[in-house]
């Protein structure tokens, strides 16, 4: 490993302890290395604005940072165990190429605000992806909810309850994913604050141009207090994981439905072939593995959130414990977004099996319609309910599933899905 940035007379370095301290940290830093470089450019501009580096040095530093980004992207520069971390690698490279200008780059910053700003930019990107996946899912659900509704049983307690429809099923998930997209947007607003320029967590004796770095990096506001900047590490990561978890919670239930509906016992739905796999031993099998992993992805996000929550039992100020939050967010976010990304295409190509769903609608499922009709005609509901319970087996006489959906006029129900209202809510996200 190259000399650590903090090496100075009196420092003793033990390889095993270094390995424990740094571990896979430098490899994790690959994930947001480009963001670290972007933030470094803004920092250089800020230093030039207050005369800490000359205009010529700033130009050279920014040019080298661009070259480093390009070399990293092409694979020519590999971020590996030669460096303690990505932050050290940036300074080492600038120093190697530019000498003293490179040695000036860390003026007024600390790895503590450097890791914060790189993570924050990365989290903002991921929230953008979360919002767009949720919008794409909501869009497909709305489109499919507008197609002719196929009646299907609606379940409570997994027992046949009342007549439902494919349109109601899709509309339900559409509304859920519109909310999930909004939550991504709101979480972005929460974390959209620039921590760069807070240094180790207590500011510095330089008039850093934090307004410039805030603007240059596209943050909505400056995170003013250096102490709060440190307090927000982990807290904001958790907020992002919670936003992803909200979406995955809906996805988990959707995947549960699909894994049930695709069994021979239900036979309500056929998954696109690519979303199923074969068995290594049972030649007859087509398994819904993809659906099962969509369902399982929630666990990774929840685990990542829990790991960070456990790490955050800390006093204020930077603590090295926080380093372990990186692996969890990378893993949790990758799993979560990777799952959501697959959903729109899956939903576009789901094939419902109308006749089996219809055949699963039994006469007693009209009993609620019967009781409410009586109640609307003036019979006290509890009385109508008892009468309908006694005659439940014949409640379906003269009724079809379509009738049941057509009289379900309460807002949001079968005859009044209010898809326009949902579309308008989704469209608001376009601005
Ligand atoms: N890898 C470290 C982290 O993720 C970078 C910050 C190191 N700061 C320090 N004071 N040792 O937290």
């Amino acid at each position: 490993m190259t000399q650590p940035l903090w090496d100075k007379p009196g420092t003793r370095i033990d390889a095993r302890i270094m390995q424990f301290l740094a571990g896979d940290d430098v490899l994790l830093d690959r994930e947001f290395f480009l963001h670290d470089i972007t933030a470094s450019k803004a920092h250089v501009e800020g230093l030039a604005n207050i005369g800490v580096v000359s205009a010529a040095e700033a130009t050279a530093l920014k040019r080298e940072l661009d070259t480093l980004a390009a070399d990293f992207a092409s694979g020519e520069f590999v971020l590996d165990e030669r460096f303690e971390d990505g932050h050290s690698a940036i300074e080492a490279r600038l120093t190697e190429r530019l000498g003293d200008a490179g040695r000036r780059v860390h003026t007024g910053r600390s790895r503590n605000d450097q890791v914060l700003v790189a993570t924050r930019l990365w989290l903002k990107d991921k929230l953008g992806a979360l919002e767009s996946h949720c919008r794409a899912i909501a869009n497909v659900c709305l489109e499919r909810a507008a197609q002719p509704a196929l009646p299907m049983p609606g379940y409570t307690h997994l027992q046949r309850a009342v007549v439902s429809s494919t349109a109601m099923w899709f509309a339900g998930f559409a509304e859920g994913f519109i909310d999930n997209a909004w939550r991504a947007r709101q979480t972005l607003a929460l974390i959209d604050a620039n921590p760069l320029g807070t240094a180790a967590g207590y500011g510095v004796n330089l008039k850093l141009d934090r307004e410039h770095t805030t603007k240059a990096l596209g943050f909505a506001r400056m995170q003013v207090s250096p102490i709060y900047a440190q307090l927000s590490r982990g807290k904001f990561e958790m907020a992002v994981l919670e936003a992803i978890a909200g979406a995955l919670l809906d996805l988990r239930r959707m995947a549960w439905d699909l894994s049930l509906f695709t069994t021979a016992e239900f036979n309500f739905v056929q998954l696109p072939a690519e979303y199923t796999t074969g068995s290594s031993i049972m030649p007859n099998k087509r398994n819904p593995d993809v659906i099962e992993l969509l369902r399982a992805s929630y666990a990774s996000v929840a685990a990542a959130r829990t790991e960070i929550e456990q790490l955050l039992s800390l006093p204020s100020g930077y603590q090295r414990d926080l380093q372990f939050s990186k692996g969890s967010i990378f893993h949790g976010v990758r799993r979560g977004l990777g799952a959501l990304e697959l959903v729109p295409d899956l939903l576009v190509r789901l094939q419902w099996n109308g006749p089996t769903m219809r055949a699963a609608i039994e006469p007693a499922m009209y009993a609620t319609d019967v009781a409410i009709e009586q109640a609307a005609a003036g019979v006290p509901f509890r009385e109508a309910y008892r009468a309908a319970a006694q005659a439940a087996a014949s409640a379906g006489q003269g009724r079809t599933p379509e009738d049941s959906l057509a009289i379900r006029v309460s807002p949001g129900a079968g005859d009044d899905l209010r898809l326009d209202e949902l579309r308008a809510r989704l469209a608001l996200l376009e601005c």
Side-chain angles (χ1 to χ4, degrees):
M1 188 188 287
T2 51
Q3 220 179 1
L5 294 177
W6 38 271
D7 190 22
K8 55 188 164 300
T11 303
R12 289 181 54 181
I13 294 165
D14 175 290
R16 263 186 332 157
I17 296 175
M18 245 348 252
Q19 168 58 27
F20 177 69
L21 264 174
D24 58 356
D25 193 52
V26 66
L27 303 181
L28 292 173
D29 282 355
R30 288 175 180 172
E31 182 75 31
F32 55 43
F33 194 53
L34 292 173
H35 293 102
D36 200 350
I37 293 174
T38 305
S40 297
K41 283 174 65 180
H43 177 64
V44 165
E45 285 168 1
L47 289 182
N49 290 350
I50 59 167
V52 171
V53 298
S54 68
E57 283 174 325
T59 308
L61 284 165
K62 289 202 296 171
R63 190 193 58 229
E64 281 307 330
L65 284 164
D66 282 339
T67 311
L68 178 57
D71 288 353
F72 175 72
S74 72
E76 197 164 311
F77 174 84
V78 179
L79 181 60
D80 60 18
E81 294 85 352
R82 290 174 297 152
F83 307 98
E84 184 186 359
D85 53 31
H87 321 302
S88 313
I90 292 176
E91 187 170 327
R93 166 89 165 216
L94 294 174
T95 303
E96 175 199 313
R97 299 275 169 105
L98 300 172
D100 279 352
R103 286 184 200 99
R104 287 206 172 97
V105 75
H106 212 56
T107 316
R109 81 169 170 186
S110 155
R111 283 181 296 169
N112 298 356
D113 62 336
Q114 201 175 346
V115 65
L116 265 174
V117 71
T119 311
R120 191 89 26 111
L121 291 169
W122 184 90
L123 288 171
K124 283 181 61 178
D125 277 359
K126 300 302 168 188
L127 282 174
L130 174 65
E131 187 192 316
S132 86
H133 293 328
C134 290
R135 284 167 63 176
I137 297 170
N139 244 318
V140 175
C141 286
L142 281 174
E143 273 164 26
R144 295 222 53 182
Q147 291 167 357
L150 299 172
M152 71 194 284
Y155 298 88
T156 70
H157 314 268
L158 269 182
Q159 307 292 316
R160 290 170 178 169
V162 290
V163 178
S164 180
S165 72
T166 49
M168 283 189 73
W169 191 87
F170 275 122
F173 286 105
E175 186 166 1
F177 278 94
I178 294 168
D179 277 359
N180 297 331
W182 272 107
R183 186 164 177 193
R185 182 73 70 94
Q186 283 151 1
T187 307
L188 179 65
L190 169 75
I191 74 158
D192 202 358
N194 178 22
L196 181 62
T198 55
Y202 298 94
V204 289
N205 46 343
L206 278 175
K207 201 114 186 87
L208 292 176
D209 193 350
R210 298 198 62 204
E211 280 79 10
H212 174 77
T213 58
T214 300
K215 203 159 160 243
L217 293 172
F219 282 108
R221 65 184 188 281
M222 185 197 295
Q223 202 164 18
V224 176
S225 158
I227 293 188
Y228 181 55
Q230 286 304 321
L231 291 174
S232 67
R233 186 163 181 203
K235 174 184 174 182
F236 283 6
E237 282 81 338
M238 272 175 68
V240 172
L241 287 165
E242 279 157 15
I244 298 177
L248 284 203
L249 213 50
D250 287 334
L251 178 58
R252 183 160 73 171
R253 299 187 76 174
M254 174 193 278
W256 244 122
D257 274 3
L258 294 177
S259 75
L260 278 176
F261 292 170
T262 183
T263 56
E265 283 69 17
F266 277 81
N267 190 22
F268 284 0
V269 85
Q270 209 169 334
L271 303 172
E274 301 89 320
Y275 287 77
T276 63
T277 63
S279 155
S280 62
I281 178 172
M282 298 170 284
N284 53 322
K285 294 298 295 289
R286 285 309 300 174
N287 297 323
D289 298 39
V290 180
I291 304 300
E292 290 160 354
L293 289 178
L294 294 180
R295 185 168 62 196
S297 300
Y298 178 82
S300 304
V301 180
R305 186 205 167 281
T306 302
E307 188 172 5
I308 295 175
E309 187 184 21
Q310 294 306 315
L311 289 171
L312 282 182
S313 176
L314 296 172
S316 67
Y318 176 80
Q319 323 287 333
R320 189 69 176 259
D321 311 49
L322 293 163
Q323 175 169 294
F324 280 174
S325 63
K326 279 192 296 197
S328 5
I329 48 163
F330 295 157
H331 179 67
V333 169
R334 190 176 315 124
R335 277 273 162 87
L337 296 182
L340 292 167
E341 190 180 4
L342 293 182
V343 179
D345 176 61
L346 165 70
L347 295 179
V348 166
R349 293 163 57 220
L350 266 190
Q351 278 178 6
W352 297 106
N353 189 348
T356 30
M357 292 194 295
R358 197 185 175 86
I361 295 170
E362 58 190 31
M365 294 175 79
Y366 301 98
T368 308
D369 289 345
V370 172
I372 291 176
E373 265 163 26
Q374 293 295 309
V379 181
F381 178 73
R382 196 48 59 211
E383 218 170 281
Y385 168 95
R386 290 211 180 92
Q390 259 158 18
S394 55
Q397 258 166 24
R399 291 169 192 268
T400 67
E402 285 77 7
D403 295 339
S404 179
L405 290 169
I407 57 174
R408 204 86 52 76
V409 290
S410 62
D415 186 57
D416 187 14
L417 292 169
R418 305 267 171 124
L419 297 184
D420 282 342
E421 191 168 329
L422 298 181
R423 280 188 201 107
R425 247 183 249 174
L426 183 59
L428 274 180
L429 281 160
E430 269 148 36
C431 23

